[in-house]
Amino acid sequence: MKLKFLNNTLQNRQFDYQPRYYDERKERMEKRKEQLRRAESGEMTPEERKQMLREAMRAESDRAGYRQGQRQSSNIRIFTLVLVLLALFYFLFFGIDKVET
């Protein structure tokens, strides 16, 4: 009687995995280049022109929202800094006498 489990050597499993990479920015750039090429050559239909304009307006509104958020966070940072400086000056000019006594 042959014991199979004693003679069996373990082998690693082989996988055929190929990672995929999707670059959304690159896809948008290629699509935009193709649209501009078609617009310059006059091959674009009015419906495609409308779609191109919609995409441009959507992209601009996304950038505007980002800029507005950055501006708001900057304003909050400046306001906080001004409050800290005002508190520091108040403490230096009016609070020094109370600390010494």
Side-chain angles (χ1 to χ4, degrees):
M1 179 166 99
K2 189 175 183 182
L3 300 175
K4 186 176 182 179
F5 69 91
L6 291 176
N7 197 17
N8 190 12
T9 58
L10 295 176
Q11 294 180 356
N12 293 334
R13 287 187 178 184
Q14 298 287 324
F15 293 102
D16 186 25
Y17 173 72
Q18 295 182 5
R20 297 180 201 150
Y21 179 72
Y22 175 69
D23 190 0
E24 183 180 348
R25 183 172 181 249
K26 183 179 176 183
E27 290 285 328
R28 279 185 300 189
M29 290 289 285
E30 289 175 359
K31 183 179 178 184
R32 179 77 175 142
K33 284 179 185 177
E34 178 63 25
Q35 285 177 341
L36 291 175
R37 185 194 63 76
R38 291 184 69 205
E40 286 178 356
S41 66
E43 300 172 1
M44 196 170 254
T45 65
E47 187 60 38
E48 290 173 328
R49 288 183 191 273
K50 285 180 185 179
Q51 183 65 26
M52 192 169 91
L53 181 61
R54 284 186 192 121
E55 289 173 4
M57 291 176 69
R58 185 177 303 121
E60 181 61 33
S61 69
D62 290 345
R63 284 192 297 268
Y66 175 76
R67 284 193 305 257
Q68 182 180 3
Q70 292 294 318
R71 190 177 319 126
Q72 185 178 7
S73 66
S74 175
N75 288 343
I76 290 172
R77 211 174 297 126
I78 291 171
F79 182 71
T80 306
L81 181 64
V82 168
L83 282 178
V84 168
L85 289 175
L86 285 174
L88 181 65
F89 285 129
Y90 179 80
F91 176 72
L92 287 175
F93 289 119
F94 298 112
I96 264 307
D97 296 332
K98 293 179 182 178
V99 172
E100 291 177 357
T101 57

